[in-house]
Amino acid sequence: DVKVTQSSRYLVKRTGEKVFLECVQDMDHENMFWYRQDPGLGLRLIYFSYDVKMKEKGDIPEGYSVSREKKERFSLILESASTNQTSMYLCASSATGTGSYEQYFGPGTRLTVT
Amino acid sequence: EDKVVQSPLSLVVHEGDTVTLNCSYEVTNFRSLLWYKQEKKAPTFLFMLTSSGIEKKSGRLSSILDKKELFSILNITATQTGDSAVYLCARRITGGGNKLTFGTGTQLKVEL
């Protein structure tokens, strides 16, 4: 079974703090993704990565950065957390190739910025 | 704009009812459409649809895609309380890597 793990289930941070959210997958997937999920807005893609050290902006990258130094690990960084970044953050991974592959999700990190 | 629109936004039914959830999308360079179920945690994969008119089935759940009319439906027969969840659909386009665009979801509640 594919396993995607996230470093924290719940996190409370103060405005202005630098926040790191970690995601690790164990299936040697090339692609990794960070989403945020808010009521009424669904899942929105922040950043994704299709290879080590490669990254691409998703639909809402402002206020976020990412790092992928190893294939299995994809980190989301909030440089200076703000209250409007309070949300559920979901990491996902998928294989790549000529087919179409589903994404496997981690359990999520509920971040509260006060 | 390549939206994915789900309807209804929420639904309350009684155990044993049959429900149909809808998903429409507004993009022509379509590759596949996916359905996920989300309870109080990570979304779990249900179906991937790439061809029109071919039903995918898993137990009481089934789904079909209409690429001409740009929509998909997810059917759940003989609903149970364990079917209560948010159902998400997402589409993948050609040339988009493996990026997905999600709809906002349908919140289904199944009551006794």
Side-chain angles (χ1 to χ4, degrees), chain A residues 9-10 88 107 110, chain B residues 38-43 84-86 107:
Chain A
R9 291 300 305 274
Y10 300 94
M88 170 69 85
R110 186 164 293 281
Chain B
Q38 186 178 23
E39 297 169 89
K40 292 186 186 299
K41 48 189 178 185
S84 297
V86 175
Q107 173 84 58

Side-chain angles (χ1 to χ4, degrees), chain A residues 9 31 33 35 37 40-43 45 48 59 90 94-95 97-107, chain B residues 31-32 34 36 38 40-45 48 50 86 88 92 96-105:
Chain A
R9 291 300 305 274
N31 303 305
F33 307 83
Y35 295 89
Q37 186 174 28
L41 296 176
L43 271 77
L45 182 65
F48 68 103
D59 300 318
L90 290 161
S94 75
T98 55
S100 190
Y101 301 93
E102 69 263 33
Q103 293 182 12
Y104 296 87
F105 284 84
Chain B
R31 181 74 180 264
S32 56
L34 291 80
Y36 285 84
Q38 186 178 23
K40 292 186 186 299
K41 48 189 178 185
T44 53
F45 174 74
M48 184 186 305
T50 55
V86 175
L88 298 163
R92 182 187 171 204
N98 209 20
K99 245 182 14 169
L100 298 176
T101 296
F102 283 85
T104 55

Side-chain angles (χ1 to χ4, degrees), chain A residues 23-94:
Chain A
C23 175
V24 178
Q25 50 94 5
D26 67 358
M27 281 301 290
D28 203 36
H29 283 166
E30 292 82 3
N31 303 305
M32 296 188 75
F33 307 83
W34 274 107
Y35 295 89
R36 63 178 283 176
Q37 186 174 28
D38 300 287
L41 296 176
L43 271 77
R44 294 180 292 166
L45 182 65
I46 304 171
Y47 268 98
F48 68 103
S49 169
Y50 51 88
D51 201 352
V52 175
K53 296 193 187 293
M54 305 301 288
K55 61 183 180 185
E56 283 203 23
K57 293 179 180 179
D59 300 318
I60 51 163
E62 296 78 20
Y64 304 94
S65 62
V66 291
S67 172
R68 191 155 180 214
E69 297 296 319
K70 293 185 178 181
K71 191 175 186 180
E72 67 271 18
R73 189 179 297 269
F74 191 35
S75 302
L76 180 70
I77 303 153
L78 286 67
E79 295 290 341
S80 177
S82 63
T83 55
N84 63 11
Q85 292 178 310
T86 292
S87 187
M88 170 69 85
Y89 290 88
L90 290 161
C91 174
S93 73
S94 75

Side-chain angles (χ1 to χ4, degrees), chain B residues 49-60:
Chain B
L49 304 156
T50 55
S51 302
S52 269
I54 298 174
E55 185 183 55
K56 295 236 174 160
K57 198 169 170 65
S58 176
R60 296 176 294 101

Side-chain angles (χ1 to χ4, degrees), chain B residues 6-15 17-22 35 74-76 79-81 83-87 105-111:
Chain B
Q6 293 187 244
S7 63
L9 291 180
S10 64
L11 191 56
V12 180
V13 300
H14 291 100
E15 266 202 332
D17 287 351
T18 293
V19 298
T20 298
L21 309 182
N22 303 289
W35 284 97
L74 176 68
N75 278 320
I76 309 174
T79 51
Q80 303 171 357
T81 55
D83 295 326
S84 297
V86 175
Y87 290 84
T106 293
Q107 173 84 58
L108 173 65
K109 185 175 180 183
V110 182
E111 296 180 335

